[in-house]
Amino acid sequence: MNNYSTLAVILAAGQGTRMRSSLPKVMHCVGHRPLLGHVLATCEAARVDQVAVVQGPDTPAVADYLMRQAPGARRFVQRERLGTAHALLAARAALEEHNEGCVLVLFGDSPLVSVETLARLRAALIDGAAVAVAGFTTERPGGYGRLLVEDGHLRAIREAKDCTAEELQVRLCNGGVMGLRADHCLWLLERIGNANAQGEYYLTDAVEVANRAGLKVTAVEVEEEDILGVNDREQLHAAEQVFQRRRRQQAMRAGVTLADAQSVYFSADTELAADVLVEPCVVFGPGVRVAAGVRVPAFSRLEAVSLERDAEISALAS
């Protein structure tokens, strides 16, 4: 598997008008870390070989963040927003250079994507798929696009409005995140047209193009929350809740005692050693590291501090 190098292209050019903010959508935070930062961190944890980020025009906040936090990532600009396939082609130079291995297409507004999801997409490509699409099963598929699978082969992604009554009963839905074999990637993208009502180039059409060419296309089932996208403040709140639940579970499984887990809030970079006791109503701001044996009193807020073993903390610390 190590012979298959991986390029992750993070699409981060969305305007985010539903956020009703002058801040680029991918710079809104979950766990005191920008959405884009979470995706970058997952790429690093997954040991992705190369990262490219496609940003929108006139987004200096995104460029500044990347220069500080991911100086090795290549930056590209999608000057016209003409769909997801068009956005991916904005990184053509990176795709042309990366002509062997795997290409993972991620979204800068999907902060909960996991290392496991990237590994499963990559494994499907290594196993011979030209295109691998992440999907999730839900009891309420509603308006989600359906993944139509026959004999283990992904035949089509059908938008809900175009589904037959039978297809609407399918509960396997499109999660958006996708992997493509590097040696097929540009060939597929260049054959995606824009003959649709919006006149845009959709990455999902790569499934149809690959099927017509007789290439293997597969669906990879993942958890729904793994590919949760953030388009408005309510979804931002939902992503925050999932993130906090995951971090609480991670802390407790690592030997941390949370006296009232639901009332403890973490930052993405919080580090707690085993045998730390966290009392109720504690907020960990950015830059906190706590060594073993420390008791964090109730109603504390900590930020930019490193606490050594057996440190004494006054309540309401700031």
Side-chain angles (χ1 to χ4, degrees):
M1 289 180 65
N2 292 332
N3 294 329
Y4 286 81
S5 63
T6 303
L7 165 68
V9 182
I10 304 172
L11 306 185
Q15 291 177 294
T17 53
R18 289 160 59 188
M19 298 296 288
R20 300 188 182 279
S21 172
S22 59
L23 188 68
K25 179 171 62 170
V26 297
M27 293 304 295
H28 287 266
C29 289
V30 162
H32 295 103
R33 173 181 282 170
L35 303 179
L36 176 58
H38 284 275
V39 185
L40 289 167
T42 298
C43 289
E44 181 177 3
R47 298 183 179 180
V48 168
D49 300 279
Q50 301 174 56
V51 175
V53 179
V54 178
Q55 65 182 87
D58 304 318
T59 53
V62 175
D64 291 346
Y65 181 77
L66 289 170
M67 284 190 287
R68 293 195 313 272
Q69 300 297 327
R74 298 183 64 177
R75 292 187 289 115
F76 300 91
V77 177
Q78 184 189 20
R79 301 199 176 278
E80 295 182 275
R81 293 178 174 88
L82 298 177
T84 47
H86 180 264
L88 184 54
L89 276 171
R92 177 186 285 273
L95 297 174
E96 288 175 340
E97 292 176 17
H98 188 84
N99 53 20
E100 294 183 355
C102 308
V103 176
L104 300 179
V105 185
L106 310 176
F107 295 88
D109 60 3
S110 296
L112 303 172
V113 65
S114 67
V115 170
E116 291 74 21
T117 288
L118 302 195
R120 294 191 64 200
L121 286 169
R122 188 169 181 264
L125 298 172
I126 292 171
D127 196 39
V131 180
V133 178
F136 61 94
T137 297
T138 176
E139 295 298 324
R140 298 181 178 180
Y144 289 114
R146 306 304 203 269
L147 299 186
L148 306 182
V149 178
E150 297 177 8
D151 300 323
H153 192 97
L154 179 59
R155 298 297 180 186
I157 301 177
R158 189 92 74 230
E159 294 302 317
K161 60 183 176 59
D162 298 323
C163 285
T164 65
E166 182 181 3
E167 290 169 346
L168 285 173
Q169 301 306 308
V170 173
R171 296 186 295 114
L172 182 61
C173 300
N174 179 30
V177 176
M178 184 181 294
L180 301 102
R181 274 268 302 272
D183 53 352
H184 294 306
C185 185
L186 277 173
W187 187 90
L188 291 169
L189 291 174
E190 289 169 348
R191 282 158 179 78
I192 292 175
N194 66 339
N196 52 65
Q198 287 71 34
E200 295 187 352
Y201 301 85
Y202 295 127
L203 185 57
T204 51
D205 288 349
V207 170
E208 180 183 354
V209 175
N211 273 313
R212 286 202 308 262
L215 298 173
K216 181 179 178 181
V217 185
T218 190
V220 175
E221 189 168 355
V222 301
E223 294 296 324
E224 181 176 358
E225 66 181 29
D226 229 40
I227 39 78
L228 175 68
V230 173
N231 294 297
D232 56 34
R233 303 283 181 163
E234 291 180 271
Q235 291 175 342
L236 183 68
H237 176 263
E240 182 75 53
Q241 300 313 302
V242 174
F243 168 79
Q244 293 298 335
R245 173 173 55 77
R246 287 181 175 182
R247 289 292 277 113
R248 291 162 186 154
Q249 291 173 340
Q250 178 185 352
M252 290 186 285
R253 290 169 181 170
V256 175
T257 296
L258 304 179
D260 180 18
Q262 297 301 315
S263 69
V264 177
Y265 280 77
F266 288 88
S267 289
D269 63 351
T270 303
E271 296 182 31
L272 304 181
D275 293 321
V276 168
L277 168 61
V278 183
E279 295 184 348
C281 302
V282 171
V283 176
F284 292 104
V288 176
R289 177 184 171 277
V290 183
V294 174
R295 177 182 66 87
V296 182
F299 301 101
S300 297
R301 188 186 190 284
L302 305 175
E303 184 170 335
V305 64
S306 180
L307 302 175
E308 300 305 320
R309 176 182 285 272
D310 301 323
E312 294 289 335
I313 310 174
S314 298
L316 302 177
S318 61

